[in-house]
Amino acid sequence: MAVFSNACAPARSNMGRMNILVTGATGKVGSRLVERLVQRGDAIHALVRDSARAASLVERGVALVEGDLLEPDSLAAAVHGMDAVVHCAAFFRGATPEQAHAVNDLGTQHLATAARDASVARFVFMSTGLVYGAGHGGLAKEDDPCAPVDAYPLSKLAAERMLLGTENLDTRILRLPFVYGDGDTHIADIVPFAQRFPPGQRMSIAHHADVAQAVMRLLDAPSPAHRIYNVVDDDAPDLATLFASVGQPPPDGSDPERAAVFGALLDGRRIRDELGFTPQFPRLADAVAAGRA
């Protein structure tokens, strides 16, 4: 069972208790995020396509509102009265380019338009560090050029650019690394996918607790100096170490070219310097020692 903690959560916003609509609240990131937002006293509403399949959220104190990112007319009621939207929903593995574009780009546009029209104060978009693409000689900074090649980061980058060009919408973008912890099987899940990657390839990571903290800091900042922030823990373990943490032998290194697409390491200084972010689990070993990996 996952254990949630707000030990490193920021102080409450000047907005006080917020009404927040969260999309993707049944997913890996969203489900753990809403738990922590409820714990700190926010009124959380989850956009779901089928309320019956999200009953567990109600037990956690989350209100459900039915709607679909691909049906713009269904979103006005969902955003009505919200102080903020945290948009976690995305189509990731297994998505065709057309599906990724429809959900991650056009779906985000539909939600952003509804939020703007409803005068929602803040729109937090959960993006990905994969937008940087391969070939970074150092740590990837928020203002670096982006050159993704796969459908998922391409659609996320398109959504970012659309949001940044949308007037009268306070967009805050959080670029995530590989996210793990709190009962998430994400590390074990990528073993088959990354089996041919080099064992020494490093990967930026962030624990779910630290992703949630970063979201809270973006929600609470009255007027952040920037609109895009990377979030990342201190350590970027190699794949051999990640595999070992779930009892698996290292990858065999037979496809370094494909692995390079996932090789960008994120620079996390901006969110630390400007918003006071400090990871609760700086290294994978810290989460393992605490039983939270």
Side-chain angles (χ1 to χ4, degrees):
M1 179 180 295
V3 177
F4 297 97
S5 169
N6 280 342
C8 289
R12 295 298 297 128
S13 151
N14 290 333
M15 295 177 70
R17 173 184 168 96
M18 279 192 269
N19 290 310
I20 303 173
L21 177 72
V22 179
T23 72
T26 59
K28 291 180 181 295
V29 171
S31 62
R32 291 161 175 84
L33 172 63
V34 297
E35 188 91 8
R36 291 182 166 93
L37 291 172
V38 168
Q39 284 181 1
R40 78 169 195 159
D42 292 312
I44 306 304
H45 305 250
L47 180 71
V48 298
R49 286 181 292 177
D50 183 352
S51 295
R53 298 178 61 181
S56 63
L57 291 174
V58 177
E59 297 171 1
R60 301 177 188 176
V62 177
L64 304 183
V65 54
E66 291 196 3
D68 191 321
L69 294 173
L70 302 184
E71 298 177 6
D73 291 344
S74 72
L75 301 175
V79 297
H80 178 72
M82 295 298 109
D83 299 308
V85 169
V86 180
H87 183 27
C88 302
F91 200 157
F92 185 19
R93 291 194 177 92
T96 65
E98 294 76 18
Q99 290 170 326
H101 171 68
V103 175
N104 303 336
D105 185 6
L106 293 183
T108 300
Q109 182 175 340
H110 297 156
L111 183 63
T113 298
R116 180 199 61 197
D117 292 348
S119 299
V120 173
R122 293 166 191 176
F123 191 101
V124 177
F125 179 58
M126 306 293 265
S127 189
T128 172
L130 295 176
V131 298
Y132 293 110
H136 276 78
L139 297 178
K141 300 178 178 65
E142 290 87 345
D143 296 328
D144 286 352
C146 294
V149 296
D150 287 350
Y152 173 67
L154 280 167
S155 65
K156 283 289 195 176
L157 183 60
E160 285 190 13
R161 289 171 173 169
M162 176 276 299
L163 289 169
L164 294 174
T166 300
E167 295 182 354
N168 302 316
L169 183 68
D170 183 353
T171 296
R172 298 143 188 237
I173 295 170
L174 192 65
R175 289 177 176 165
L176 305 184
F178 181 88
V179 183
Y180 78 102
D182 283 346
D184 187 349
T185 60
H186 201 186
I187 297 176
D189 292 344
I190 68 155
V191 169
F193 176 79
Q195 190 60 56
R196 299 177 63 196
F197 291 6
Q201 178 166 316
R202 296 168 62 209
M203 181 176 289
S204 287
I205 63 173
H207 193 279
H208 279 289
D210 294 323
V211 171
Q213 180 200 163
V215 171
M216 293 177 193
R217 292 189 181 279
L218 280 183
L219 284 169
D220 292 351
S223 53
H226 293 89
R227 301 180 74 185
I228 302 176
Y229 292 87
N230 295 333
V231 61
V232 63
D233 291 340
D234 288 348
D235 187 32
D238 60 33
L239 288 173
T241 300
L242 276 176
F243 279 36
S245 73
V246 291
Q248 295 295 320
D252 62 28
S254 60
D255 194 357
E257 184 175 351
R258 175 59 178 156
V261 174
F262 303 89
L265 300 178
L266 306 188
D267 187 316
R269 286 176 291 182
R270 175 180 286 181
I271 196 169
R272 298 175 189 225
D273 293 346
E274 295 181 9
L275 301 182
F277 172 86
T278 301
Q280 182 177 346
F281 296 102
R283 292 164 292 277
L284 175 64
D286 298 320
V288 171
R292 300 279 299 279

